[in-house]
Amino acid sequence: MGVRLMVVDDHRLLAEALASALKLRGHRVLAAAAPTSGAAELVVSRAPEVCLFGTASPAAPGVFDPITRIGQERPQVAVVVLGPVPSPRGIAAAFAAGAAGYVRHDERIEGVERAMLKARAGESAIAPQLLRGAFAELLNPAAQPDDEGRRLLRMLTPREAEVLVRVAEGEGTRLIAAGMDIAPSTARTHVQRVLMKLGVGSRLEAAALAARTGLLERAAANGGASPGSYAPEGTQRGTQPGPYVPGQRG
């Protein structure tokens, strides 16, 4: 017996394609809609047996709020989330919101259909390999951004860390050189070394990586990375330089 269902996804084309495939398999699709933020209103008004809820960001704050509302206003509706391979946080967030299942969005149509039938029957619908992966990550967590930022910072010299901060602030080679009182060619060399050590191909990628891993905050807060911690190039050995002021020579 076919399932009365709704398909919602932030990408309307995906919702309509999945709805068409399920219709061909004998299911009754009440609606195929986008975005998922409007799922609760549709479900409350149409009362399907199952709602397929597609999302590309299962760990994003508030993404499963519509599922919570569906559970409050239409508790008889089983919601199955279709999403990417999630972090344990994404799976936990889906089930905590009241989802009855989680299926990878690259699953075959037969797998989606099985999940729908299990959810309608009141069972949890999630592939064992997804659960294994989630529990494996919980037991052996990957490095958190803060840990990764610390690791990357150790790869940079204090001067390279300052260069990274300046790159992230949008300074070009001449501004970096003027601010650090070094030659443009030296600034360019520092930038290239930073890119090489971080394993990125552009300044934009370096800035994005630094922001994502927490490296930028660590570099900016690191005493050795602040402009005041450097003596201008050319200071004689054995002398005790005074405080360095960016842009000031001598």
Side-chain angles (χ1 to χ4, degrees), residues 100-188:
Y102 193 107
V103 180
R104 283 178 49 162
H105 60 190
D106 60 353
E107 179 62 78
R108 296 172 63 88
I109 191 67
E110 293 85 359
V112 175
E113 191 173 36
R114 283 194 299 271
M116 288 165 36
L117 294 171
K118 290 185 69 174
R120 185 178 66 173
E123 302 175 34
S124 294
I126 182 169
Q129 60 267 31
L130 275 183
L131 278 180
R132 283 197 296 270
F135 284 122
E137 188 172 333
L138 286 170
L139 292 172
N140 303 286
Q144 295 300 308
D146 188 60
D147 298 329
E148 181 69 0
R150 185 183 298 111
R151 183 186 71 80
L152 291 173
L153 184 60
R154 285 199 297 264
M155 297 168 58
L156 304 178
T157 66
R159 177 146 291 193
E160 289 166 350
E162 182 186 350
V163 167
L164 177 61
V165 172
R166 293 179 180 275
V167 165
E169 290 175 349
E171 292 188 11
T173 301
R174 291 190 178 279
L175 273 178
I176 293 173
M180 297 178 66
D181 199 27
I182 57 179
S185 59
T186 303
R188 192 174 299 109

Side-chain angles (χ1 to χ4, degrees), residues 177-182 230-233 242-250:
M180 297 178 66
D181 199 27
I182 57 179
Y230 298 115
E233 290 192 355
Y244 169 55
V245 180
Q248 177 179 310
R249 294 183 180 274

Side-chain angles (χ1 to χ4, degrees), residues 27-245:
H27 300 288
R28 182 184 174 194
V29 180
L30 303 181
T36 54
S37 58
E41 288 77 8
L42 279 172
V43 169
V44 169
S45 64
R46 307 297 284 275
E49 294 175 301
V50 174
C51 173
L52 296 179
F53 186 97
T55 177
S57 307
V63 70
F64 296 129
D65 287 351
I67 298 179
T68 301
R69 184 181 163 194
I70 291 170
Q72 293 168 347
E73 300 191 30
R74 292 285 187 182
Q76 71 275 22
V77 176
V79 180
V80 176
V81 174
L82 304 177
V85 178
S87 66
R89 184 182 296 275
I91 290 180
F95 281 94
Y102 193 107
V103 180
R104 283 178 49 162
H105 60 190
D106 60 353
E107 179 62 78
R108 296 172 63 88
I109 191 67
E110 293 85 359
V112 175
E113 191 173 36
R114 283 194 299 271
M116 288 165 36
L117 294 171
K118 290 185 69 174
R120 185 178 66 173
E123 302 175 34
S124 294
I126 182 169
Q129 60 267 31
L130 275 183
L131 278 180
R132 283 197 296 270
F135 284 122
E137 188 172 333
L138 286 170
L139 292 172
N140 303 286
Q144 295 300 308
D146 188 60
D147 298 329
E148 181 69 0
R150 185 183 298 111
R151 183 186 71 80
L152 291 173
L153 184 60
R154 285 199 297 264
M155 297 168 58
L156 304 178
T157 66
R159 177 146 291 193
E160 289 166 350
E162 182 186 350
V163 167
L164 177 61
V165 172
R166 293 179 180 275
V167 165
E169 290 175 349
E171 292 188 11
T173 301
R174 291 190 178 279
L175 273 178
I176 293 173
M180 297 178 66
D181 199 27
I182 57 179
S185 59
T186 303
R188 192 174 299 109
T189 298
H190 283 318
V191 170
Q192 290 303 316
R193 286 177 178 168
V194 168
L195 299 185
M196 181 185 66
K197 288 184 177 182
L198 297 184
V200 296
S202 70
R203 299 181 184 212
L204 185 60
E205 288 181 72
L209 176 65
R212 186 173 67 249
T213 61
L215 170 60
L216 190 59
E217 291 79 7
R218 286 185 169 276
N222 189 301
S226 63
S229 64
Y230 298 115
E233 290 192 355
T235 300
Q236 293 183 353
R237 294 179 181 273
T239 64
Q240 187 65 32
Y244 169 55
V245 180

